[in-house]
Amino acid sequence: MSARARPHQAPAPTAGLALTLVICTVGPGSLAADLEFGRYLAAECMTCHRSATATSTIPNIFGLGRQHVAAVLMAYRDKTLPNAVMQNIAGRLSDEEIASLALYFSITMKP
């Protein structure tokens, strides 16, 4: 038998496996998050939230759960949470930007 591949031989299984992993990892409804992108976007948030204290009307968002931050930003974006300033800011954010901000704030303690 020859060392060459047969003409009708199936492709290596790793190609299909890699595609399956990509589809499962980045499937519908998942949010792609990028920590460095979140850090970059957070510069605008820092203007107000850096000075947040327990008694201020601006909440401390550092160290909050990733899903919580994302849900709150989406609620402001969808105008289901009242706050004109946050609705304006969140209204400009894509799902990817919200996911990146949520990741950044979930693992960052107050500077």
Side-chain angles (χ1 to χ4, degrees):
M1 184 175 255
S2 165
R4 291 182 3 189
R6 292 183 221 151
H8 296 355
Q9 187 174 4
T14 55
L17 179 60
L19 179 59
T20 302
L21 288 174
V22 168
I23 291 170
C24 291
T25 307
V26 189
S30 69
L31 300 174
D34 179 326
L35 181 61
E36 289 306 313
F37 188 39
R39 183 185 327 274
Y40 168 76
L41 293 171
E44 183 177 5
C45 307
M46 297 293 192
T47 304
C48 298
H49 289 280
R50 181 187 311 246
S51 63
T53 65
T55 58
S56 71
T57 57
I58 299 170
N60 176 14
I61 58 176
F62 298 92
L64 291 178
R66 184 176 176 179
Q67 303 232 329
H68 177 72
V69 173
V72 169
L73 286 173
M74 287 180 184
Y76 280 128
R77 182 182 66 185
D78 299 340
K79 295 186 177 6
T80 57
L81 271 179
N83 183 306
V85 173
M86 285 304 302
Q87 288 175 351
N88 183 35
I89 292 167
R92 300 185 310 249
L93 298 173
S94 68
D95 286 347
E96 179 187 6
E97 291 168 327
I98 288 174
S100 297
L101 282 166
L103 174 61
Y104 174 75
F105 283 112
S106 71
I107 63 172
T108 302
M109 293 301 127
K110 194 169 183 176

